[in-house]
Amino acid sequence: MSGLPTPLDLTTQPRPVYVIGAGPAGLAAAAALRARGVRAVVVEKSDAVGTSWRRHYDRLHLHTTRRLSALPGLAMPRRFGRWVSRDDLVRYLEKYAEVHELELVTGVEVTRIEPAADGDGWTLHATGGRIMAAGAVVVATGFNHTPALPDLPGREAYTGRLLHAADYRNPEPYADQDVLVVGVGNTGAEIAVDLAEGGAARVRLAVRTTPHIVRRSTAGWPAQRTGILVRRLPVRLVDRLGALVAKASVPDLSAYGLPRPATGLYSRVREGAIPVQDVGLIEAVRAGRVEPVAAVQAFDGAEVVLADGSRITPDAVIAATGYRRALEGLVGDLGVLDERGRPRTHGAQTLEQAPGLYFTGFTNPISGMLREVALDAAKIAKAESRRMRTPA
C-alpha cells in the first residue's frame, strides 16, 4: 500500500482496537486498521459474521450495485450479478474475514464501554464477566439492531397475528391469507410485493407518509450513482431534479392511494427517509395486487383500526416499522448520542470527551450504506494510526 506510513508493530500494541460487531461495517474497519498495521479484534455476540444479513427475508437483493458495494481489499465476484443476493453477501462477508485474516471473537457481547481508569483508552465489559482493555473502540453494532414494533393503542391486547418484518422470511406461510404490511419503506414495499407474488390472497400496505419511489435502474444507470453525484449539491436543486426524474420515469399512483409526495426527495433524505427503490411495487399497485391503505391508528381486539376510521381483520400483520440502534446501554452515559439515541459522530470523527471512540454503519445514505462504510473504514484506520503515533 504505497503512500502509507511505515506500518505499526503489532507486537508493541498491548491494547488493541476493539471493533464491536462483525457486519460489513465492523469487518471493513478491522481490515482497514490491519492494513495500516493496527491490531484490531472484532467482537461479535453471535456465532458468525453478518448475522443481521442472515436474518433478512429470502428475496432480498442489494439495491446498490455489486461494484459499489464491495468492502476495501476484496472485490465481489462477477458471478454474484449486478444486484447481489442476501446469501451471496453473507458468503462474501465470510470470505472477507478469511482473506484479511481478521482476529474474530464470537459468542461474546460487549455490554458497556467506559473510559479506562488510567485515562488511556477504554475498558469494555462483556458477557461472562469479561473485561477488555482497548486502545480505541469502533462501534459497528448495526443500523438494523433491535426491531421496533409500533407503540399503538391496543397493541398488547391485540388477538391477531402481529410480527416484525425481521421475522418474515418468505410468503409460503401466508398463502391464501389476508395480510397487512405496515410501513412503506424499502422493506415494507418489497415484502408486500413478495407476498403478492407468492400466493397471499390479499395484500394491503398501510401508508403513513407517502414515499418517494425511484427506479432502481433507468436505461442501465443505477439510482445509486445518481445518489453519489447529487450528495453535495444544494437540497433545493436536488429536490427539483428529483421531481423532474420522477415525472418522467414513475407513473402517478394517486388513483391507487399513493400520491406524489409534497416534500422534495432530498429534503426527505436529509430527514432520514430513504426513497423506495422499485422492485415490483409500481406494477403490483397498478395491477391491484398490493392495495395501499391508510396508516394504522390502533388495535382493537382482533381488528386493526386505520387512520381513515375503517376497520379490517387481516390474518397477519407484518410491521416493517424499522429498528432502534439500541446504543444507550453500551455508551449512553458518555455523551456521544443525540436525543434520538443516534451517534453524534460517524467515521473518523470523534468527540473531545471520547477520543478513540468511533462509530460506523449507523447512517443510511442514498449513495449506499456499504459504499459509505467502506469509505468510513479507511478514514477511521487513517485517523487511528495517526493518533497512535502522536505522543500523549
Side-chain angles (χ1 to χ4, degrees):
M1 300 184 66
S2 61
L4 293 181
T6 302
L8 295 162
D9 184 355
L10 291 173
T11 63
T12 63
Q13 299 173 37
R15 297 183 179 182
V17 176
Y18 276 96
V19 179
I20 306 174
L27 297 179
L33 286 162
R34 182 177 174 83
R36 284 186 174 267
V38 178
R39 185 185 174 204
V41 179
V42 182
V43 184
E44 167 59 44
K45 69 177 181 179
S46 70
D47 60 357
V49 304
T51 298
S52 66
W53 288 94
R54 296 173 191 271
R55 291 198 305 256
H56 285 313
Y57 47 94
D58 298 346
R59 175 195 178 101
L60 180 66
H61 284 68
L62 295 181
H63 292 164
T64 54
T65 66
R66 181 189 74 252
R67 290 185 178 182
L68 294 176
S69 300
L71 303 179
L74 184 66
M76 289 189 178
R78 292 188 65 180
R79 68 176 182 276
F80 285 2
R82 194 180 199 192
W83 313 106
V84 179
S85 71
R86 177 203 65 183
D87 291 346
D88 280 338
L89 180 62
V90 170
R91 293 186 187 97
Y92 172 76
L93 295 177
E94 292 172 340
K95 188 67 174 180
Y96 190 84
E98 176 186 336
V99 167
H100 289 285
E101 300 179 334
L102 299 183
E103 198 170 340
L104 181 63
V105 178
T106 59
V108 174
E109 181 179 5
V110 177
T111 56
R112 190 170 84 257
I113 301 171
E114 62 184 17
D118 61 4
D120 182 16
W122 299 90
T123 298
L124 278 59
H125 297 266
T127 50
R130 297 174 179 84
I131 297 178
M132 297 170 279
V137 180
V138 180
V139 180
T141 50
F143 191 86
N144 295 337
H145 188 276
T146 302
L149 282 170
D151 188 16
L152 293 171
R155 193 196 80 187
E156 296 300 327
Y158 179 57
T159 59
R161 183 183 180 193
L162 171 64
L163 66 151
H164 191 272
D167 297 313
Y168 175 85
R169 292 293 173 271
N170 58 63
E172 186 176 341
Y174 308 94
D176 300 320
Q177 292 189 12
D178 180 343
V179 185
L180 173 67
V181 179
V182 181
V184 67
N186 277 293
T187 297
E190 190 156 2
I191 287 177
V193 173
D194 198 32
L195 288 163
E197 294 178 352
R202 185 175 189 180
V203 180
R204 284 175 282 203
L205 182 59
V207 180
R208 184 170 300 280
T209 303
T210 305
H212 284 274
I213 302 174
V214 299
R215 300 287 188 182
R216 186 169 63 174
S217 179
T218 303
W221 179 264
Q224 181 189 11
R225 288 199 178 274
T226 301
I228 294 170
L229 291 175
V230 304
R231 279 196 73 188
R232 304 192 187 283
L233 294 179
V235 173
R236 288 185 179 180
L237 175 59
V238 180
D239 282 348
R240 292 193 195 103
L241 293 173
L244 292 173
V245 171
K247 287 182 179 179
S249 61
V250 177
D252 186 357
L253 300 175
S254 299
Y256 303 93
L258 285 178
R260 295 192 189 277
T263 309
L265 185 151
Y266 203 32
S267 294
R268 292 275 292 276
V269 168
R270 296 291 290 270
E271 296 170 358
I274 297 299
V276 170
Q277 295 205 25
D278 179 46
V279 289
L281 179 65
I282 293 173
E283 180 184 350
V285 168
R286 295 178 78 181
R289 296 195 301 272
V290 171
E291 307 168 47
V293 296
V296 175
Q297 191 77 23
F299 296 93
D300 185 9
E303 294 183 322
V304 179
V305 184
L306 302 182
D308 61 4
S310 60
R311 292 170 173 258
I312 60 176
T313 311
D315 296 307
V317 178
I318 300 174
T321 45
Y323 296 78
R324 294 185 293 107
R325 311 293 88 81
L327 292 168
E328 290 80 4
L330 191 65
V331 295
D333 58 349
L334 300 177
V336 296
L337 304 179
D338 66 16
E339 65 281 358
R340 295 173 61 183
R342 302 171 304 184
R344 292 168 56 192
T345 60
H346 76 275
Q349 301 169 336
T350 59
L351 295 174
E352 184 178 353
Q353 75 269 25
L357 179 61
Y358 305 95
F359 294 88
T360 180
F362 294 98
T363 59
N364 191 16
I366 57 175
S367 50
M369 181 184 287
L370 292 178
R371 177 180 182 273
E372 293 304 315
V373 299
L375 295 174
D376 277 352
K379 294 173 184 176
I380 290 170
K382 182 178 180 180
E384 183 55 24
S385 63
R386 283 181 175 177
R387 197 178 72 90
M388 291 178 67
R389 289 184 171 86
T390 302

